[in-house]
Amino acid sequence: MTEPLVEIKNLRTHFFTDEGVVKAVEDVSLTIPRGKTLGLVGESGCGKSVTALSIIRLISPPGKIVSGSIAFYDDGRKIELTTLPEAEMRKMRGSRIAMIFQEPMTSLNPVFTVGSQIAEAVRLHHRVSSREAWDRAVEMLHKVRIPDAQRRASEYPHHFSGGMRQRVMIAMALSCNPKLLIADEPSTALDVTIQAQVLDLLRDLQTEFGMSILIITHDLGVIAEMADDVCVMYASKVVEYAPVVELFTNPLHPYTRGLFASRPEPGKPKDQKLRTIPGVVPSPLRFPSGCKFHPRCAYAQERCKKEEPVLRRPNLSQIPPSHVVHCHFAEQIEEQEEAAVKSV
Amino acid sequence: MVALVTIVLLFLVALCSPAIVGTKPIVCNYKGNLYFPCLGYFNPKWENPIFIKDKFRGVYPRSLKQKDAESWAVWPLVYQDPYRRVKADEWHGVPSSREMLDNPVQNHGKPSAHNFFGTTPYGVDVFAGMVHGTRIAVLVGFVSMGIASFIGITIGALAGYFRGWIDVVLSRLIEVVMCIPTLVLILALISVIAEPTVWHLMAIIGVTSWTSIARLTRAEFLKLREMDYVAAARALGASHVRIIFIHVLRNALAPVLVPISFGVAAAILIESALSFLGFGAPPPNPSWGNLLHLGQDHILGKMWWLVLFPGLGIFLTVLCYNLVGEGLQEATDPRLRQAGK
Amino acid sequence: MLQYLVRRMLWGLLTLLLITFVIYGLIRFMPGDPALLKLYQESSDKKITAEQIEQQRKMYGLDQPFYIAYVKWLGDVLTGNLQTSFAYKAPVSSVIGERIGRTLMLTINSLILEYLLAIPLGLYFTARSSRLDERSGSMLLFMLYSLPSFCGALFLQLWFAVYLEWLPLHGMQSDNYEQLSTLGKTWDLFKHALLPVAAFTYGGLAYYSRFLKATMNETVRQDYIRTARAKGIGPLKVLCWHAFRNSLIPLVTQIGLTLPALLSGAIILERIFSWPGIGTLFFQSILERDYPIIMGLVLMFSILTLLGQLLADVLYAFVDPRVSYK
């Protein structure tokens, strides 16, 4: 196996609020391979965005990375991001790690032209004249398929539609050839057709620029389209981690099973109700004991209430070693489900 | 929180001012009957006529003893008067060890054990004036903002609720009134009145300072009238008046309290400014602004107590109302509330 | 843009008409007759005949009902004549013109000072958000903001002029002003203006820095600030360039809106410091029932208020690319 780009080990990010400590990310370990895409799925508030912000170190107070390591492998050098001095980290942002956000409508500064905002990123990390930076900005706008890029570079963000603004964001993020692009729900705020265009564009640009992508979403469709590996998060923890095809064929964790079952699918009998996961996401201030999913889990047993499971390889013959799950009873549940399918 | 407590304290002081400082007994037994002469500080008409008939001339301790040896009285905590100079010989029953003097006049009235905050050039006790001045400060805040809230909320509610041409007309009206320089208008209005009293002042401040309340109410109503429960109430056949006052206003009230609270601070400020300029309540009335005015007139006499204490009084009151307003704003503004998290 | 401006101007004119009409009506109902007042002043012990009064009233235009007098006044104003002051017996425009410079000397200087100090202060407090120095500083600003200007002015006078005797108590020039050299004159003026300017400035300073800090706090939470940081921009540049550029939008609109407030603040402060500007003039005209002067000043205040609002709108379009008046 080749060297990964980013390796996160046992990351903990907590928010020290007045009401108590919010453990937004607890003991998360994951690997972003070079040139590939890792998908991070979960409900809102499960800690996936905080994980991403921890990588680029944009956690704002009262949030803090408490422990763990984030290793970034750059040209054979290993850079530890959690302890990197802020000035060094700033050089990483934009040039090595770039990020695009969910809300294209508010993520661009309304008082500057889009061209100048891209050019600013270029000039921050490269010693170029403002003329060259501007040309680069126009080139990038062209690359993200904005028609008439030359003219539109000198327009303000409010002249652009949502989809166009997200393209501008992508252009800005890629303007310095980053190794890693973090895309935090890049298509959620957009119309469905625009969504597909933006995702297509991201994939094409990945082949062109060769960067890794960490894509964060709650939409399994986006994952299916974009990701190579998938990491499912629930209540600040990684609950299942597998290659994309493997996860979609053999979801093991009861939560992942629930996610798939709650997706509406055409062809399903109409009288059959959508299966939903009962209960609500627990408040990060008052997580349940033991396995955090047990109050909502149909298979929960006594042990689940007391003992927190570990992320482990399930003892099942058909499951490849790259698939790990955070459940005491993954094997038994799999057998039960198999039996149920057979009996139908 | 501290600010709220201070305001409540201010209210209590205003309410109990005659019991704290005064020369009129809180309760007295005179010729076999119980009287409450201290009420005369609230309204001269409430002072029992018997004392006027018996020629007390406002000096109670001596007169009581002279005219009825059997009489007894409960006195205010501090024997001083906000209206006149207290003389040494009026107060009987002090232990002989404490020498009583006339209140000092001119610039000799430094703060002392008898006059906590000193005296004015005319020998009137500043502390007494301050305590009785709280009544005006509290009243001004309440009455003027009551008037302003009534006008502001009515106009704002009508404009925001009915929209259309009513909104256009009322919004224009708000804009026009906002264009008038407030102090200029107030001075002009006051000059129209032959003998301005505190009540006139309050009314004038009220009718000139409703614009911000109206604007906010209008904005709230524009937002709230789209809410489902308004549609639901209308579907149930509720009248406009009912919807405006029962359904919408109750929900709009919290944000509208913000400009009202700031408005109270502004009203107190304007009143003291006007008194200070000499346009306020006629001088014998104890108002903080009047005391400050005296302080300015006699500034060369180095009577710092005449400037410091009333100044502090105005400052602290305004500060407290501003703090309360700010607290309300933080509590009702969802954007700020989010920031707190 | 032009069409918008024209429309705004028309509304402004209508508003002006309304305001001046109301004020004109009001001052005519003021008790006290300027004609009588004038005659008393001029003929201290002579008896005043009814005929004299009538003549004087006619001269002042007081014999007509107020609405007719208003129309006459309006006609005069439209031809550029603000009528003649009763008390100064000079054209109102020259009486005001003579004093407005002195008021502007105070207000413009303090306005410049306010912005010069408030902007760095507001930025500094945003950068140091919820640290100890920011909290104590903000509290102090809040207290300054709550200290009425006339109280502050009196405290300043008492301390610096009466006790320390460093600065003159009031007035604009020393008695020996005429004999001083040019430099001495400037220095003298500076000494006299120091306290009034300070009294003018501190409230506004507190207001603006708090205002800027509040808008900055709002701005730094916006998504585009996160974007800027994700680009790798340093915190200082994010604050002073990306965030401040956006907070500038509400700040400049404030300039226009505070212009009239500064002038009405002058009414109180000029009186405390006996500064012979338009504030004192307005005050005296009310006492003397000098109708033409009052009307002239009201007209000026109102025009300034409206101009301030217009200025705010124009500046708004200037700093915010999203706004265009079409």
Side-chain angles (χ1 to χ4, degrees), chain B residues 61-101:
Chain B
R62 190 176 45 205
S63 310
L64 273 178
K65 285 281 171 257
Q66 278 173 358
K67 295 184 172 140
D68 179 11
E70 300 287 285
S71 68
W72 54 265
V74 178
W75 298 97
L77 294 175
V78 179
Y79 186 85
Q80 283 294 350
D81 199 278
Y83 294 103
R84 61 185 181 85
R85 183 180 177 200
V86 169
K87 297 279 181 64
D89 57 345
E90 32 178 283
W91 178 240
H92 287 250
V94 272
S96 53
S97 60
R98 257 175 75 186
E99 186 113 346
M100 291 300 291
L101 294 169

Side-chain angles (χ1 to χ4, degrees), chain A residues 88-277:
Chain A
E88 292 292 310
M89 189 65 221
R90 221 153 57 218
K91 285 184 197 152
M92 299 283 293
R93 280 183 210 132
S95 69
R96 299 285 186 284
I97 307 172
M99 189 159 178
I100 55 178
F101 300 97
Q102 179 172 355
E103 283 296 334
M105 304 308 277
T106 55
S107 291
L108 288 167
N109 199 327
V111 297
F112 301 119
T113 60
V114 297
S116 72
Q117 292 189 55
I118 300 173
E120 187 188 16
V122 176
R123 292 203 71 188
L124 267 171
H125 301 289
H126 300 282
R127 294 179 163 274
V128 292
S129 69
S130 53
R131 182 72 236 170
E132 285 167 300
W134 183 265
D135 290 343
R136 171 78 179 157
V138 173
E139 184 197 334
M140 285 310 298
L141 287 176
H142 188 69
K143 279 217 160 75
V144 294
R145 298 172 204 158
I146 287 179
D148 202 5
Q150 188 73 43
R151 186 177 57 83
R152 302 219 69 181
S154 48
E155 287 185 350
Y156 289 94
H158 67 275
H159 293 125
F160 289 74
S161 68
M164 282 295 167
R165 283 193 215 185
Q166 197 60 292
R167 284 162 195 259
V168 171
M169 282 296 291
I170 294 171
M172 185 156 69
L174 297 182
S175 60
C176 296
N177 281 322
K179 295 277 182 339
L180 171 66
L181 175 70
I182 301 173
D184 189 354
E185 307 257 11
S187 58
T188 313
L190 305 174
D191 289 342
V192 184
T193 48
I194 310 289
Q195 256 186 38
Q197 285 174 15
V198 167
L199 294 178
D200 279 345
L201 176 70
L202 269 179
R203 254 202 332 238
D204 292 350
L205 290 170
Q206 187 174 26
T207 9
E208 189 182 340
F209 286 79
M211 76 280 184
S212 306
I213 297 179
L214 173 64
I215 189 161
I216 296 166
T217 180
H218 61 262
D219 186 344
L220 288 167
V222 172
I223 290 290
E225 192 173 348
M226 296 287 296
D228 298 301
D229 291 337
V230 190
C231 174
V232 184
M233 283 185 78
Y234 179 79
S236 314
K237 290 236 169 194
V238 175
V239 293
E240 194 162 1
Y241 194 0
V244 64
V245 181
E246 169 61 22
L247 187 91
F248 274 69
T249 42
N250 283 319
L252 289 179
H253 196 277
Y255 175 66
T256 321
R257 289 170 188 277
L259 279 186
F260 281 106
S262 58
R263 277 208 302 173
E265 265 172 52
K268 259 189 188 172
K270 286 270 159 46
D271 53 331
Q272 194 186 331
K273 263 194 168 174
L274 279 177
R275 259 172 66 188
T276 54
I277 306 174

Side-chain angles (χ1 to χ4, degrees), chain B residues 94-227:
Chain B
V94 272
S96 53
S97 60
R98 257 175 75 186
E99 186 113 346
M100 291 300 291
L101 294 169
D102 291 0
N103 275 353
V105 287
Q106 282 156 6
N107 60 351
H108 303 298
K110 282 207 186 75
S112 67
H114 299 312
N115 310 102
F116 300 138
F117 292 171
T119 59
T120 66
Y122 313 112
V124 179
D125 188 61
V126 175
F127 178 70
M130 290 281 297
V131 169
H132 285 261
T134 50
R135 280 209 306 275
I136 288 184
V138 166
L139 262 183
V140 162
F142 259 74
V143 175
S144 54
M145 272 308 113
I147 297 170
S149 313
F150 179 76
I151 304 175
I153 289 177
T154 312
I155 289 186
L158 289 178
Y161 184 78
F162 289 109
R163 297 199 293 194
W165 63 269
I166 297 182
D167 184 26
V168 174
V169 170
L170 291 178
S171 294
R172 280 289 143 200
L173 180 71
I174 296 172
E175 262 175 50
V176 169
V177 177
M178 278 181 83
C179 278
I180 305 178
T182 321
L183 201 65
V184 173
L185 183 64
I186 290 178
L187 284 177
L189 280 172
I190 288 177
S191 330
V192 175
I193 302 159
E195 282 170 11
T197 66
V198 193
W199 298 99
H200 287 115
L201 222 62
M202 291 188 248
I204 287 170
I205 296 174
V207 295
T208 48
S209 51
W210 50 268
T211 44
S212 59
I213 301 173
R215 281 210 314 171
L216 205 101
T217 314
R218 176 176 167 271
E220 281 296 313
F221 266 69
L222 279 178
K223 196 174 74 194
L224 289 172
R225 76 187 300 278
E226 302 300 328
M227 295 283 166

Side-chain angles (χ1 to χ4, degrees), chain C residues 225-240:
Chain C
I225 295 303
R226 197 176 49 181
T227 309
R229 291 180 61 202
K231 273 197 277 190
I233 302 174
L236 203 69
K237 198 182 170 201
V238 168
L239 203 71
C240 298

